[in-house]
Amino acid sequence: MSNPNADALTQAFAAADAGDPAPLLALYDDSMTWAGFSFDGTQRVYTKDEFLAGLGVLAQLDASSNEVVATSSYGDEIVVATIRAYRKLGEHELDIEMIMAHRFIDGRVVRGADMVPSSFEAFWAATGLAG
């Protein structure tokens, strides 16, 4: 049986990759917090605004994409997505699968966390964009 939150997440990521970030932005609640990685590989908790600002660096790349390749649902609220993340800047490329866990309340993501392989921070360090 399909989970409407998993379907919404998959569709929102596809829309963002096609150039329309509005569905993905709307999916994240304004009070959302996200446990994620900084470009140097350290973990921290982000607000929605900080999380979106971090994604803004993707505009500096030659190529970037995020594709939901699989989802798993745990009850009505938890959706874990496997994301194929591709990044390219000059000769530097990153092509990974990462995990993003989402907790939905009333159809919106209120909490999230991700896990990335070590090649994530190696890519950002090599590009010089890690700050």
Side-chain angles (χ1 to χ4, degrees):
M1 183 164 100
S2 180
N3 178 317
N5 291 326
D7 294 342
L9 185 71
T10 301
Q11 292 165 9
F13 266 89
D17 252 11
D20 180 12
L24 189 59
L25 295 175
L27 201 59
Y28 293 126
D29 192 80
D30 288 342
S31 67
M32 174 196 86
T33 57
W34 192 273
F37 286 83
S38 61
F39 296 122
D40 68 2
T42 57
Q43 288 184 296
R44 62 169 286 216
V45 176
Y46 294 88
T47 64
K48 179 181 179 178
D49 289 341
E50 292 169 328
F51 179 76
L52 295 176
L55 292 178
V57 76
L58 299 180
Q60 298 178 43
L61 301 177
D62 298 329
S64 174
S65 66
N66 294 299
E67 176 190 4
V68 177
V69 295
T71 61
S72 296
S73 299
Y74 301 90
D76 294 334
E77 294 183 356
I78 308 295
V79 176
V80 177
T82 303
I83 308 289
R84 178 178 175 247
Y86 178 78
R87 311 285 185 262
K88 181 173 180 15
L89 182 63
E91 71 276 4
H92 305 289
E93 282 187 280
L94 177 69
D95 191 354
I96 60 170
E97 283 192 348
M98 62 183 285
I99 303 299
M100 298 178 78
H102 305 79
R103 183 170 120 194
F104 284 82
I105 300 291
D106 296 328
R108 306 214 41 215
V109 176
V110 296
R111 301 285 178 267
D114 58 41
M115 187 59 61
V116 296
S118 61
S119 56
F120 175 87
E121 61 259 25
F123 169 79
W124 291 107
T127 66
L129 295 175

